[in-house]
Amino acid sequence: MSVDHLPEHPDFLWRNPEPKKSYDAVIVGGGGHGLATAYFLAKNHGMTNIAILEKGWLAGGNMARNTTIIRSNYLWDESAAIYEHALKLWEILPEELEYDFLFSQRGVMNLAHTLGDVRESMRRVGANRLNGVDAEWLEPDQVKELCPILNTSDNIRYPVMGATYQPRAGIAKHDHVAWAFARKCDELGVDIIQNCEVTGFIKDGNRVTGVKTTRGTINTEKVGLAAAGHSSVLAEMAGFRLPIQSHPLQALVSELHEPVHPTVVMSNHVHVYVSQAHKGELVMGAGVDSYNGYGQRGSFHVIEEQMAAAVELFPIFARAHVLRTWGGIVDTTLDASPIVGVTPVENMFVNCGWGTGGFKGTPAAGLTFAHTIATGAPHELNAPFALERFETGALIDEHGAAAVAH
Amino acid sequence: MLLISCPNCGPRDETEFHYGGQAHVPYPENPNDLTDREWAEYLFYRENTKGTFAERWVHSTGCRQWFNMLRDTVSYDIHSIYAMGSPRPDIAGQSAQGQAGGPGLAPGAPTTTTSPEGAQK
Ligand SMILES: Cc1cc2nc3c(=O)[nH]c(=O)nc-3n(C[C@H](O)[C@H](O)[C@H](O)COP(=O)(O)OP(=O)(O)OC[C@H]3O[C@@H](n4cnc5c(N)ncnc54)[C@H](O)[C@@H]3O)c2cc1C
Ligand SMILES: [Zn+2]
């Protein structure tokens, strides 16, 4: 499972150009989604006179803060389709981007602790299989075999009653993913502009024609918003609303350990998820803070609860030390599904609402959003995730499979 | 963790409370007349203010009463706690829309009630 060292970086990653006066398209947000979008715009649609504008440093938002779990075992057809497409892209991207980002398909288990969990999990395994997503139901002894350090005794508060298992799921080195996309974007001619905050939009009637930034005004024919936790702030500047609430979500890592944790374990019920990073840290996360927040930090009691759950499930971690904690700002929707598509403003498009689980979707978000920006119409994979679903009522309620309650 | 002053019980840890989302969202006066768009607005669209935000909380493990709160969503400072049904306090230097910036009031400081937002359920 573990590798000895991280991959060497290529000599050259990306330029830091001055912003030009105008572009064919501008992507707001230099996280994984913005980078993947620019990459597919250039590669699949031949649009290379484009810029990514990032207010901070490249991929310093949620991209740098997430726990990197990649899986596609979502319940509904629409979600299974887009997340499974993403997973298939993850499988080929290291070669395509010519940059190893250590996509490790070590499998993900989602534990069941109640009879309700068990029924829901089995239903999801069935649904996944019908959608061509690899999924298995594991009995407690099979769980133990796959992850021997997991406490599967039945005398704990919420015993492990089984788990769903997706063998093709796993983790990747998130920073390396961003750098891999950035390098290819640069190679294809995309301008990556850091320290450039979008502060307003220029419109001709209802059509966007430019962006105002802390580094001057830039004219553009098309704008793609990929700003995760800040999407509704930008939408407000552009004159429309999004059904998004921004919440703090935090994670933490321990000191380094020998390889002991061979897979990824998630529990929605006791609310913790744990994997072991390539270097050896235990990476853990839990749920969002309940209230809206733009501070990149989370509440201490959330950590306390997730630690209690982790130590009951993994007694050998009782003496592990926490090395670092941090938070991101995630953009949640009421049906726990993303919004990717057109907006009420002409030539402005939005990719947001991926909430606590958008890292795994990065390649498919980029691919479908690029299609929408280039053609003005949705790709078949993002069509169900249009903003209008909140009006038509065709919601895609993924709370059960989103794995983190929010 | 937030330290929240329940109007009935005094300062308690955030863990005793539950968050109830944006305050001052009135139930539609004539539900039968609403278009799909208006229903969508009522059900799914809420402010996501970066700055001072009016929101509802309930002291679930204490007095179980609801109240409103003005809180900064960037600094997490609590500017004001006030009764359900009262209009949103007008905080010095801040518009009723609650944009970021401007000085806040200390909790418990007197607040004026000139906000046009009425107590609509
Ligand atoms: C603690 C934590 C754990 C997570 N764990 C997982 C996980 O295990 N698996 C998973 O699939 N997902 C996970 N996620 C969710 C995932 O990180 C996000 O859904 C995903 O990163 C969002 O897309 P992005 O990468 O483009 O966002 P970001 O990286 O946040 O990119 C948005 C960028 O927009 C920039 N921006 C904002 N406003 C402006 C402006 N006005 N002008 C210019 N730039 C602007 C920001 O600075 C930011 O860099 C986690 C998130 C967090 C916080
Ligand atoms: Zn009380």
Side-chain angles (χ1 to χ4, degrees), chain B:
Chain B
M1 193 184 301
L2 303 177
L3 182 64
I4 300 177
S5 282
C6 170
N8 306 307
C9 313
R12 302 294 179 91
D13 280 348
E14 173 193 337
T15 48
E16 293 194 9
F17 298 83
H18 271 93
Y19 179 65
Q22 188 187 339
H24 311 296
V25 181
Y27 188 77
E29 271 183 28
N30 299 304
N32 292 332
D33 299 342
L34 259 48
T35 63
D36 286 353
R37 176 68 213 171
E38 287 163 340
W39 269 120
E41 290 277 341
Y42 173 67
L43 291 172
F44 302 120
Y45 285 75
R46 293 291 181 271
E47 295 304 314
N48 190 21
T49 311
K50 186 173 182 180
T52 307
F53 187 50
E55 58 195 16
R56 304 183 307 168
W57 288 78
V58 60
H59 191 188
S60 18
T61 64
C63 61
R64 302 178 60 85
Q65 300 296 304
W66 285 89
F67 55 89
N68 289 333
M69 180 155 125
L70 281 186
R71 185 180 59 90
D72 189 301
T73 60
V74 180
S75 66
Y76 302 161
D77 287 344
I78 295 169
H79 293 312
S80 171
I81 284 175
Y82 56 105
M84 299 291 291
S86 304
R88 175 185 168 133
D90 188 12
I91 292 200
Q94 287 176 336
S95 73
Q97 285 305 307
Q99 294 309 305
L105 285 182
T111 52
T112 54
T113 50
T114 52
S115 164
E117 247 171 320
Q120 303 147 317
K121 274 202 185 164

Side-chain angles (χ1 to χ4, degrees), chain A residues 263-274:
Chain A
T263 184
V264 182
V265 173
M266 311 184 69
S267 165
N268 205 354
H269 193 83
V270 298
H271 225 144
V272 68
Y273 45 95
V274 189

